[in-house]
Coordinates of all heavy atoms in Angstrom, one line a residue:
A1 N 110.0 119.4 87.6 CA 109.5 118.2 88.3 C 109.0 117.2 87.3 O 109.2 116.0 87.6 CB 108.3 118.7 89.2
L2 N 108.4 117.5 86.2 CA 108.0 116.5 85.2 C 109.2 115.8 84.6 O 109.2 114.6 84.5 CB 107.3 117.2 84.0 CG 105.8 117.6 84.4 CD1 105.2 118.5 83.3 CD2 105.0 116.3 84.6
R3 N 110.3 116.5 84.3 CA 111.5 115.9 83.7 C 112.1 115.0 84.8 O 112.6 113.9 84.5 CB 112.5 116.9 83.3 CG 112.2 117.5 82.0 CD 113.3 118.4 81.5 NE 112.9 119.2 80.4 CZ 112.6 120.5 80.5 NH1 112.8 121.1 81.7 NH2 112.1 121.2 79.5
A4 N 112.2 115.4 86.0 CA 112.8 114.6 87.1 C 112.0 113.3 87.4 O 112.6 112.3 87.7 CB 112.9 115.5 88.4
N5 N 110.7 113.4 87.3 CA 109.9 112.2 87.6 C 109.5 111.4 86.4 O 109.2 110.2 86.6 CB 108.7 112.7 88.4 CG 109.1 113.1 89.8 OD1 109.3 112.3 90.7 ND2 109.2 114.4 90.0
F6 N 109.3 111.9 85.3 CA 108.9 111.2 84.1 C 109.9 111.0 83.0 O 109.8 110.1 82.2 CB 107.7 111.9 83.5 CG 106.4 111.7 84.2 CD1 106.0 112.7 85.2 CD2 105.6 110.6 84.0 CE1 104.8 112.5 85.9 CE2 104.4 110.5 84.7 CZ 104.0 111.4 85.6
G7 N 111.0 111.8 83.1 CA 112.0 111.7 82.0 C 111.3 111.9 80.7 O 110.5 112.8 80.5
A8 N 111.6 111.1 79.7 CA 111.1 111.2 78.3 C 109.7 110.6 78.2 O 109.1 110.7 77.1 CB 112.0 110.5 77.3
A9 N 109.1 110.1 79.3 CA 107.8 109.5 79.2 C 106.7 110.5 79.2 O 105.5 110.1 78.9 CB 107.6 108.5 80.4
A10 N 107.0 111.7 79.4 CA 105.9 112.8 79.4 C 106.5 113.9 78.5 O 107.6 114.4 78.7 CB 105.6 113.3 80.8
A11 N 105.7 114.3 77.5 CA 106.1 115.4 76.6 C 105.3 116.7 77.0 O 104.1 116.6 77.3 CB 105.8 115.0 75.2
F12 N 106.0 117.8 77.0 CA 105.4 119.1 77.3 C 106.3 120.2 76.8 O 107.5 119.9 76.5 CB 105.2 119.2 78.8 CG 106.4 119.3 79.6 CD1 107.0 120.5 79.9 CD2 107.0 118.1 80.0 CE1 108.2 120.5 80.7 CE2 108.2 118.1 80.7 CZ 108.8 119.3 81.1
E13 N 105.8 121.3 76.6 CA 106.5 122.5 76.3 C 106.4 123.5 77.4 O 105.4 123.7 78.0 CB 106.0 123.2 75.0 CG 106.2 122.4 73.7 CD 105.7 123.1 72.5 OE1 105.7 124.3 72.5 OE2 105.4 122.4 71.5
E14 N 107.6 124.0 77.8 CA 107.5 125.0 78.9 C 106.8 126.2 78.4 O 107.1 126.8 77.4 CB 109.0 125.4 79.3 CG 109.7 124.3 80.0 CD 111.1 124.7 80.5 OE1 111.2 125.9 81.0 OE2 112.0 123.9 80.4
P15 N 105.7 126.6 79.1 CA 104.9 127.7 78.7 C 105.6 129.1 78.9 O 106.4 129.2 79.9 CB 103.7 127.6 79.6 CG 104.1 126.9 80.8 CD 105.2 126.0 80.3
A16 N 105.4 130.0 78.0 CA 106.0 131.3 78.1 C 105.2 132.1 79.1 O 105.6 133.2 79.6 CB 106.1 132.0 76.8
G17 N 104.0 131.7 79.4 CA 103.1 132.4 80.3 C 101.9 131.6 80.6 O 101.8 130.4 80.2
G18 N 100.9 132.2 81.3 CA 99.7 131.5 81.5 C 99.7 130.8 82.9 O 100.6 131.0 83.7
I19 N 98.7 129.9 83.1 CA 98.6 129.2 84.3 C 98.5 127.7 84.1 O 98.3 126.9 85.1 CB 97.5 129.7 85.2 CG1 96.1 129.6 84.5 CG2 97.7 131.1 85.6 CD1 94.9 129.9 85.3
F20 N 98.5 127.2 82.9 CA 98.3 125.8 82.6 C 99.4 125.2 81.8 O 100.1 125.9 81.0 CB 97.0 125.5 81.8 CG 95.8 125.8 82.6 CD1 95.0 127.0 82.4 CD2 95.3 124.9 83.6 CE1 93.9 127.3 83.1 CE2 94.2 125.2 84.3 CZ 93.5 126.4 84.1
L21 N 99.7 123.9 81.9 CA 100.7 123.2 81.2 C 100.0 121.9 80.6 O 99.3 121.2 81.4 CB 101.8 122.8 82.1 CG 102.9 121.9 81.5 CD1 103.7 122.7 80.5 CD2 103.8 121.4 82.7
W22 N 100.1 121.7 79.3 CA 99.6 120.5 78.7 C 100.7 119.4 78.7 O 101.9 119.7 78.3 CB 99.2 120.7 77.3 CG 97.8 121.4 77.2 CD1 97.6 122.7 77.1 CD2 96.6 120.7 77.3 NE1 96.2 122.9 77.0 CE2 95.6 121.7 77.2 CE3 96.2 119.4 77.4 CZ2 94.2 121.4 77.2 CZ3 94.8 119.1 77.4 CH2 93.9 120.1 77.3
V23 N 100.4 118.2 79.2 CA 101.3 117.1 79.2 C 100.8 116.0 78.4 O 99.6 115.6 78.5 CB 101.6 116.6 80.7 CG1 102.6 115.5 80.7 CG2 102.0 117.8 81.5
T24 N 101.6 115.4 77.5 CA 101.2 114.2 76.7 C 102.0 113.0 77.1 O 103.2 113.0 77.3 CB 101.5 114.5 75.2 OG1 100.8 115.7 74.8 CG2 101.0 113.4 74.3
F25 N 101.2 111.9 77.3 CA 101.8 110.6 77.7 C 101.8 109.6 76.6 O 101.1 109.8 75.6 CB 101.0 110.1 78.9 CG 101.1 110.9 80.1 CD1 100.0 111.8 80.5 CD2 102.2 110.9 81.0 CE1 100.1 112.5 81.6 CE2 102.2 111.6 82.1 CZ 101.2 112.5 82.4
P26 N 102.5 108.5 76.7 CA 102.5 107.5 75.7 C 101.1 106.9 75.5 O 100.2 107.1 76.4 CB 103.4 106.4 76.3 CG 104.3 107.1 77.2 CD 103.5 108.2 77.8
D27 N 100.8 106.3 74.4 CA 99.5 105.8 74.0 C 98.9 104.8 75.1 O 97.7 104.8 75.2 CB 99.6 105.0 72.7 CG 99.7 105.9 71.5 OD1 99.4 107.1 71.6 OD2 100.2 105.4 70.5
V28 N 99.7 104.1 75.8 CA 99.2 103.2 76.8 C 98.5 103.9 78.0 O 97.7 103.3 78.7 CB 100.3 102.3 77.4 CG1 101.3 103.1 78.2 CG2 99.8 101.2 78.2
V29 N 98.7 105.2 78.2 CA 98.1 105.9 79.3 C 96.7 106.5 78.9 O 96.6 107.2 77.9 CB 99.0 107.1 79.8 CG1 98.4 107.9 80.9 CG2 100.4 106.5 80.2
D30 N 95.7 106.2 79.7 CA 94.4 106.7 79.6 C 94.3 107.8 80.7 O 94.2 107.4 81.9 CB 93.3 105.6 79.7 CG 91.9 106.2 79.6 OD1 91.7 107.4 79.8 OD2 91.0 105.4 79.4
T31 N 94.3 109.0 80.3 CA 94.3 110.1 81.4 C 93.0 110.2 82.2 O 93.1 110.8 83.3 CB 94.8 111.4 80.8 OG1 93.9 111.8 79.8 CG2 96.2 111.3 80.3
T32 N 91.9 109.7 81.6 CA 90.7 109.8 82.4 C 90.9 108.8 83.6 O 90.6 109.1 84.7 CB 89.5 109.4 81.6 OG1 89.4 110.4 80.5 CG2 88.2 109.4 82.4
R33 N 91.4 107.6 83.3 CA 91.7 106.7 84.4 C 92.8 107.2 85.3 O 92.7 107.1 86.5 CB 92.1 105.3 83.8 CG 92.0 104.2 84.8 CD 92.2 102.9 84.1 NE 93.4 102.3 84.6 CZ 94.2 101.4 84.0 NH1 93.9 101.1 82.8 NH2 95.2 100.9 84.6
L34 N 93.8 107.8 84.7 CA 94.9 108.3 85.5 C 94.4 109.4 86.5 O 94.8 109.5 87.6 CB 96.0 108.9 84.6 CG 97.2 109.6 85.3 CD1 97.9 108.7 86.3 CD2 98.1 110.3 84.3
T35 N 93.5 110.3 86.0 CA 93.0 111.3 86.8 C 92.3 110.8 88.0 O 92.5 111.3 89.1 CB 92.1 112.2 85.9 OG1 92.8 112.8 84.8 CG2 91.4 113.3 86.7
Q36 N 91.5 109.8 87.8 CA 90.8 109.2 89.0 C 91.7 108.6 90.0 O 91.6 108.7 91.2 CB 89.8 108.1 88.5 CG 88.6 108.7 87.7 CD 87.9 109.8 88.5 OE1 87.5 109.6 89.6 NE2 87.6 110.9 87.8
A37 N 92.7 107.8 89.5 CA 93.7 107.2 90.4 C 94.5 108.2 91.1 O 94.8 108.1 92.3 CB 94.6 106.2 89.6
A38 N 94.9 109.3 90.4 CA 95.7 110.4 91.0 C 94.9 111.1 92.1 O 95.4 111.4 93.2 CB 96.2 111.4 89.9
L39 N 93.6 111.3 91.8 CA 92.7 112.0 92.8 C 92.6 111.2 94.1 O 92.7 111.7 95.2 CB 91.4 112.2 92.2 CG 90.4 113.1 93.0 CD1 91.1 114.5 93.3 CD2 89.1 113.3 92.2
S40 N 92.6 109.8 93.9 CA 92.6 109.0 95.1 C 93.8 109.1 95.9 O 93.8 108.8 97.1 CB 92.4 107.5 94.6 OG 91.1 107.3 94.1
A41 N 94.9 109.5 95.2 CA 96.2 109.6 95.9 C 96.4 111.1 96.3 O 97.5 111.4 96.8 CB 97.4 109.2 95.0
G42 N 95.4 111.9 96.2 CA 95.5 113.3 96.6 C 96.0 114.3 95.6 O 96.3 115.5 96.0
V43 N 96.1 114.0 94.3 CA 96.6 114.9 93.3 C 95.5 115.1 92.3 O 94.9 114.1 91.7 CB 97.9 114.3 92.6 CG1 98.3 115.2 91.5 CG2 99.0 114.1 93.6
S44 N 95.2 116.3 92.0 CA 94.2 116.7 91.0 C 94.7 117.2 89.7 O 95.5 118.2 89.8 CB 93.2 117.7 91.6 OG 92.2 118.0 90.7
V45 N 94.4 116.6 88.6 CA 94.8 117.1 87.3 C 93.5 117.0 86.4 O 92.6 116.4 86.8 CB 95.9 116.3 86.6 CG1 97.2 116.5 87.4 CG2 95.6 114.8 86.5
N46 N 93.5 117.7 85.3 CA 92.4 117.7 84.4 C 92.7 116.8 83.2 O 93.7 117.0 82.5 CB 92.2 119.1 83.8 CG 91.9 120.1 84.9 OD1 90.8 120.0 85.5 ND2 92.7 121.0 85.1
P47 N 91.8 115.7 83.0 CA 92.0 114.9 81.8 C 91.8 115.6 80.5 O 90.8 116.4 80.4 CB 91.0 113.8 82.0 CG 89.9 114.4 82.9 CD 90.6 115.4 83.7
G48 N 92.7 115.4 79.6 CA 92.6 116.2 78.3 C 91.3 116.0 77.6 O 90.8 116.9 76.9
A49 N 90.7 114.8 77.6 CA 89.5 114.5 76.9 C 88.3 115.5 77.3 O 87.5 115.8 76.5 CB 89.0 113.1 77.1
E50 N 88.4 116.0 78.5 CA 87.3 117.0 78.9 C 87.6 118.4 78.5 O 86.7 119.3 78.6 CB 87.2 117.0 80.5 CG 86.7 115.6 81.0 CD 86.6 115.6 82.5 OE1 86.8 116.7 83.2 OE2 86.3 114.6 83.1
W51 N 88.8 118.7 77.9 CA 89.2 120.0 77.6 C 89.5 120.2 76.1 O 89.9 121.3 75.7 CB 90.4 120.5 78.4 CG 90.1 120.6 79.8 CD1 90.2 119.6 80.8 CD2 89.6 121.7 80.5 NE1 89.8 120.1 82.0 CE2 89.4 121.3 81.8 CE3 89.2 123.0 80.1 CZ2 88.9 122.2 82.8 CZ3 88.7 123.8 81.0 CH2 88.5 123.5 82.4
M52 N 89.2 119.1 75.3 CA 89.5 119.2 73.9 C 88.3 118.8 73.1 O 87.4 118.0 73.6 CB 90.7 118.2 73.5 CG 92.0 118.6 74.2 SD 93.3 117.4 73.8 CE 93.6 117.9 72.1
T53 N 88.1 119.4 71.9 CA 86.9 119.0 71.1 C 87.0 117.6 70.6 O 86.0 117.0 70.3 CB 86.8 120.0 69.9 OG1 88.0 120.1 69.2 CG2 86.4 121.4 70.4
D54 N 88.3 117.1 70.4 CA 88.5 115.8 70.0 C 88.9 114.9 71.2 O 90.1 114.9 71.6 CB 89.6 115.7 68.9 CG 89.9 114.3 68.4 OD1 89.4 113.4 68.9 OD2 90.7 114.3 67.4
A55 N 87.9 114.3 71.8 CA 88.1 113.5 73.1 C 89.2 112.4 72.9 O 90.0 112.1 73.8 CB 86.8 112.9 73.6
A56 N 89.2 111.8 71.7 CA 90.2 110.7 71.4 C 91.6 111.3 71.5 O 92.5 110.7 72.0 CB 89.9 110.1 70.1
A57 N 91.8 112.5 70.9 CA 93.1 113.1 71.0 C 93.5 113.5 72.4 O 94.7 113.5 72.8 CB 93.2 114.3 70.1
G58 N 92.5 113.8 73.2 CA 92.8 114.2 74.6 C 93.0 113.0 75.6 O 93.4 113.2 76.7
R59 N 92.8 111.8 75.1 CA 92.8 110.6 75.9 C 94.2 110.4 76.6 O 94.3 109.9 77.7 CB 92.5 109.3 75.1 CG 92.4 108.1 76.0 CD 92.3 106.8 75.1 NE 93.5 106.5 74.4 CZ 94.6 106.0 74.9 NH1 94.7 105.8 76.2 NH2 95.6 105.8 74.2
R60 N 95.2 110.9 76.0 CA 96.6 110.7 76.6 C 97.2 112.0 77.0 O 98.4 112.1 77.2 CB 97.5 109.9 75.7 CG 97.7 110.5 74.3 CD 98.5 109.6 73.4 NE 99.1 110.3 72.4 CZ 100.4 110.5 72.2 NH1 101.2 110.0 73.1 NH2 100.8 111.2 71.2
R61 N 96.4 113.0 77.2 CA 96.9 114.3 77.6 C 96.2 114.8 78.9 O 95.1 114.4 79.2 CB 96.6 115.4 76.6 CG 97.4 115.2 75.3 CD 97.0 116.2 74.3 NE 97.8 116.1 73.1 CZ 97.6 115.3 72.1 NH1 96.6 114.5 72.1 NH2 98.4 115.3 71.0
I62 N 97.0 115.5 79.7 CA 96.4 116.2 80.9 C 96.7 117.7 80.9 O 97.7 118.1 80.2 CB 96.9 115.6 82.2 CG1 98.4 115.7 82.4 CG2 96.4 114.2 82.4 CD1 98.9 115.3 83.8
R63 N 95.9 118.4 81.5 CA 96.1 119.8 81.7 C 96.4 120.1 83.2 O 95.6 119.7 84.0 CB 94.8 120.6 81.2 CG 95.1 122.1 81.1 CD 93.8 122.7 80.5 NE 92.9 123.1 81.6 CZ 92.2 124.2 81.6 NH1 92.1 125.0 80.5 NH2 91.4 124.5 82.6
M64 N 97.5 120.6 83.5 CA 97.9 120.9 84.8 C 98.0 122.4 85.1 O 98.5 123.1 84.3 CB 99.3 120.3 85.1 CG 99.4 118.8 84.9 SD 101.1 118.2 85.0 CE 101.3 118.4 86.8
C65 N 97.4 122.8 86.2 CA 97.4 124.2 86.6 C 98.6 124.4 87.6 O 98.7 123.6 88.5 CB 96.1 124.6 87.3 SG 96.1 126.3 87.9
F66 N 99.4 125.4 87.3 CA 100.5 125.7 88.2 C 100.4 127.1 88.8 O 101.3 127.7 89.3 CB 101.8 125.6 87.5 CG 102.0 126.4 86.2 CD1 102.4 127.7 86.3 CD2 101.6 125.8 85.0 CE1 102.5 128.5 85.1 CE2 101.8 126.6 83.8 CZ 102.2 127.9 83.9
A67 N 99.2 127.7 88.8 CA 99.0 129.1 89.2 C 99.0 129.2 90.7 O 99.6 130.2 91.2 CB 97.7 129.6 88.7
H68 N 98.4 128.3 91.4 CA 98.3 128.5 92.9 C 99.3 127.7 93.8 O 99.8 128.3 94.7 CB 96.8 128.2 93.3 CG 96.6 128.4 94.7 ND1 96.6 129.6 95.3 CD2 96.3 127.5 95.7 CE1 96.3 129.5 96.6 NE2 96.2 128.2 96.9
P69 N 99.6 126.5 93.4 CA 100.4 125.7 94.3 C 101.8 126.2 94.4 O 102.4 126.8 93.5 CB 100.4 124.3 93.7 CG 99.4 124.3 92.7 CD 99.1 125.7 92.3
S70 N 102.4 126.0 95.6 CA 103.8 126.4 95.7 C 104.7 125.4 94.9 O 104.3 124.4 94.5 CB 104.2 126.3 97.2 OG 104.3 124.9 97.6
E71 N 106.0 125.8 94.7 CA 106.9 125.0 94.0 C 107.1 123.6 94.7 O 107.1 122.6 94.0 CB 108.2 125.7 93.8 CG 109.2 124.9 92.9 CD 110.5 125.7 92.7 OE1 110.4 127.0 92.5 OE2 111.5 125.1 92.6
A72 N 107.1 123.7 96.0 CA 107.3 122.4 96.8 C 106.1 121.5 96.6 O 106.2 120.3 96.4 CB 107.5 122.7 98.2
T73 N 104.9 122.1 96.6 CA 103.7 121.3 96.4 C 103.6 120.7 95.0 O 103.2 119.6 94.8 CB 102.4 122.2 96.7 OG1 102.5 122.7 98.0 CG2 101.1 121.5 96.4
I74 N 104.0 121.5 94.0 CA 104.1 121.0 92.6 C 105.0 119.8 92.5 O 104.7 118.8 92.0 CB 104.5 122.1 91.7 CG1 103.3 123.2 91.5 CG2 104.8 121.6 90.3 CD1 103.7 124.4 90.8
R75 N 106.2 120.0 93.1 CA 107.2 118.9 93.0 C 106.6 117.6 93.7 O 106.8 116.5 93.2 CB 108.5 119.3 93.7 CG 109.3 120.3 92.9 CD 110.6 120.6 93.5 NE 111.2 121.7 92.9 CZ 111.9 121.7 91.7 NH1 112.0 120.5 91.1 NH2 112.4 122.7 91.2
E76 N 106.0 117.8 94.9 CA 105.5 116.6 95.6 C 104.3 116.0 94.8 O 104.2 114.8 94.6 CB 104.9 117.1 96.9 CG 104.3 116.0 97.8 CD 103.8 116.5 99.1 OE1 104.2 117.5 99.6 OE2 102.9 115.8 99.6
G77 N 103.4 116.8 94.2 CA 102.3 116.3 93.4 C 102.7 115.6 92.2 O 102.2 114.6 91.8
V78 N 103.7 116.1 91.5 CA 104.2 115.5 90.3 C 104.9 114.1 90.6 O 104.7 113.2 89.9 CB 105.2 116.4 89.5 CG1 105.9 115.7 88.3 CG2 104.4 117.6 88.9
A79 N 105.6 114.1 91.7 CA 106.2 112.8 92.2 C 105.1 111.8 92.4 O 105.2 110.6 92.0 CB 107.1 113.0 93.4
V80 N 104.0 112.2 93.1 CA 102.9 111.3 93.4 C 102.3 110.9 92.0 O 101.9 109.7 91.8 CB 101.9 111.9 94.3 CG1 100.6 111.1 94.4 CG2 102.5 112.1 95.7
L81 N 102.0 111.8 91.2 CA 101.5 111.5 89.8 C 102.3 110.5 89.1 O 101.8 109.6 88.5 CB 101.3 112.8 89.0 CG 100.7 112.7 87.7 CD1 99.2 112.2 87.8 CD2 100.8 114.0 86.9
A82 N 103.6 110.6 89.1 CA 104.5 109.7 88.4 C 104.4 108.3 89.0 O 104.3 107.3 88.3 CB 105.9 110.2 88.5
E83 N 104.3 108.2 90.3 CA 104.1 106.9 91.0 C 102.8 106.3 90.6 O 102.7 105.1 90.3 CB 104.3 107.0 92.5 CG 104.1 105.7 93.2 CD 105.0 104.6 92.8 OE1 106.1 104.9 92.4 OE2 104.5 103.4 92.9
V84 N 101.7 107.0 90.6 CA 100.4 106.5 90.2 C 100.4 106.1 88.8 O 99.9 105.0 88.4 CB 99.3 107.6 90.4 CG1 98.0 107.2 89.8 CG2 99.1 107.9 91.9
C85 N 101.0 106.9 87.9 CA 101.1 106.5 86.5 C 101.9 105.3 86.3 O 101.6 104.4 85.5 CB 101.7 107.7 85.7 SG 101.5 107.6 83.9
R86 N 103.0 105.1 87.0 CA 103.8 103.9 86.9 C 103.1 102.7 87.4 O 103.0 101.6 86.7 CB 105.1 104.0 87.7 CG 106.1 102.8 87.5 CD 107.1 102.7 88.6 NE 106.5 102.5 89.9 CZ 105.9 101.4 90.3 NH1 105.8 100.4 89.6 NH2 105.4 101.4 91.6
R87 N 102.4 102.8 88.5 CA 101.6 101.7 89.0 C 100.5 101.3 88.1 O 100.2 100.1 87.9 CB 101.1 102.1 90.4 CG 100.3 101.0 91.1 CD 99.7 101.4 92.5 NE 98.6 102.4 92.3 CZ 98.6 103.6 92.8 NH1 99.6 104.0 93.6 NH2 97.6 104.4 92.6
E88 N 99.8 102.3 87.6 CA 98.6 102.0 86.7 C 98.9 101.6 85.3 O 98.2 100.8 84.7 CB 97.6 103.2 86.7 CG 97.1 103.6 88.1 CD 96.1 102.6 88.6 OE1 95.3 102.0 87.8 OE2 96.1 102.3 89.8
F89 N 100.0 102.2 84.7 CA 100.3 102.0 83.3 C 101.7 101.5 83.0 O 102.0 101.3 81.8 CB 100.0 103.3 82.5 CG 98.6 103.8 82.7 CD1 98.3 104.8 83.6 CD2 97.5 103.3 82.0 CE1 97.1 105.3 83.8 CE2 96.2 103.7 82.2 CZ 96.0 104.8 83.1
G90 N 102.5 101.5 84.0 CA 103.9 101.1 83.7 C 104.7 102.2 83.1 O 105.8 102.0 82.5
V91 N 104.3 103.4 83.2 CA 104.9 104.6 82.7 C 105.1 105.6 83.8 O 104.1 106.0 84.4 CB 104.1 105.2 81.5 CG1 104.7 106.5 81.0 CG2 103.9 104.2 80.4
P92 N 106.3 106.2 84.0 CA 107.5 105.7 83.4 C 108.0 104.4 84.0 O 107.6 104.0 85.1 CB 108.5 106.8 83.8 CG 107.9 107.4 85.1 CD 106.4 107.2 85.0
A93 N 108.7 103.6 83.2 CA 109.2 102.3 83.6 C 110.0 102.4 84.9 O 109.8 101.6 85.8 CB 110.0 101.6 82.5
V94 N 110.9 103.4 84.9 CA 111.7 103.6 86.1 C 111.6 105.1 86.4 O 111.8 105.9 85.5 CB 113.2 103.3 85.9 CG1 114.0 103.7 87.1 CG2 113.3 101.8 85.6
V95 N 111.2 105.5 87.6 CA 111.0 106.9 87.9 C 112.4 107.5 88.1 O 113.2 107.0 88.9 CB 110.2 107.1 89.2 CG1 110.2 108.6 89.6 CG2 108.8 106.6 89.0
A96 N 112.8 108.4 87.2 CA 114.1 109.1 87.3 C 114.1 110.1 88.3 O 113.2 111.0 88.4 CB 114.4 109.6 85.9
R97 N 115.1 110.1 89.2 CA 115.2 111.2 90.2 C 116.4 112.1 89.8 O 117.5 111.7 89.9 CB 115.4 110.6 91.6 CG 114.3 109.7 92.1 CD 113.2 110.6 92.5 NE 112.1 109.8 93.1 CZ 110.9 110.1 93.0 NH1 110.5 111.2 92.4 NH2 110.0 109.3 93.5
A98 N 116.1 113.2 89.4 CA 117.1 114.2 89.0 C 117.6 114.9 90.2 O 116.9 115.1 91.2 CB 116.6 115.2 88.0
Q99 N 118.8 115.3 90.2 CA 119.4 116.0 91.3 C 119.3 117.5 91.0 O 119.2 117.9 89.9 CB 120.8 115.6 91.6 CG 121.0 114.2 92.0 CD 122.4 113.9 92.3 OE1 123.3 114.7 92.3 NE2 122.7 112.6 92.5
G100 N 119.3 118.3 92.1 CA 119.2 119.7 91.9 C 117.8 120.2 91.7 O 116.8 119.6 92.1
N101 N 117.7 121.4 91.0 CA 116.4 122.0 90.8 C 115.9 121.7 89.4 O 115.8 122.6 88.6 CB 116.5 123.5 91.0 CG 116.8 123.9 92.5 OD1 116.3 123.2 93.3 ND2 117.5 125.0 92.7
A102 N 115.5 120.5 89.2 CA 114.9 120.1 87.9 C 113.5 120.8 87.8 O 112.8 120.9 88.8 CB 114.8 118.6 87.8
R103 N 113.1 121.1 86.6 CA 111.8 121.7 86.4 C 110.9 120.8 85.6 O 111.1 120.0 84.9 CB 111.9 123.0 85.5 CG 112.5 124.1 86.3 CD 112.5 125.3 85.5 NE 113.3 126.3 86.2 CZ 113.7 127.5 85.8 NH1 113.4 127.8 84.5 NH2 114.4 128.3 86.4

């Protein structure tokens, strides 16, 4: 879902396990502001600054939980997150829509 909606504008590593995924955005994105705008659109993510000892380093990162939501809910939420991020920060410049089962 991240690749399909953000393309190269969001960096992350596929976790081998666990329930969280860290996502890094370009410098222009302030994830504290993004988190508030996303919440207004019905999507909840954790701003990295609240989860890192170096708040400045966490300013462009979010922590996403994938333990409870269904795959369909995750796909829908990431699409909304991408639209909010594009509207607020211009990232991604064009939302890429991948065909098939993108992850």
Side-chain angles (χ1 to χ4, degrees):
L2 285 167
R3 283 190 195 101
N5 288 281
F6 283 94
F12 64 96
E13 292 184 26
E14 291 186 35
I19 60 172
F20 293 103
L21 175 71
W22 280 96
V23 182
T24 303
F25 295 101
D27 288 338
V28 67
V29 177
D30 177 341
T31 58
T32 299
R33 195 170 119 208
L34 173 61
T35 298
Q36 293 303 314
L39 190 57
S40 293
V43 175
S44 179
V45 295
N46 298 293
E50 293 181 5
W51 294 92
M52 299 179 71
T53 57
D54 181 353
R59 188 190 66 75
R60 60 188 200 111
R61 293 177 173 85
I62 60 172
R63 190 174 93 145
M64 298 175 72
C65 179
F66 57 87
H68 181 68
S70 68
E71 187 173 323
T73 299
I74 290 170
R75 289 182 189 283
E76 179 182 339
V78 171
V80 170
L81 182 66
E83 177 55 31
V84 170
C85 195
R86 186 200 57 75
R87 183 181 70 235
E88 296 291 323
F89 304 100
V91 175
V94 175
V95 177
R97 298 284 183 214
Q99 296 182 10
N101 290 330
R103 290 186 188 169

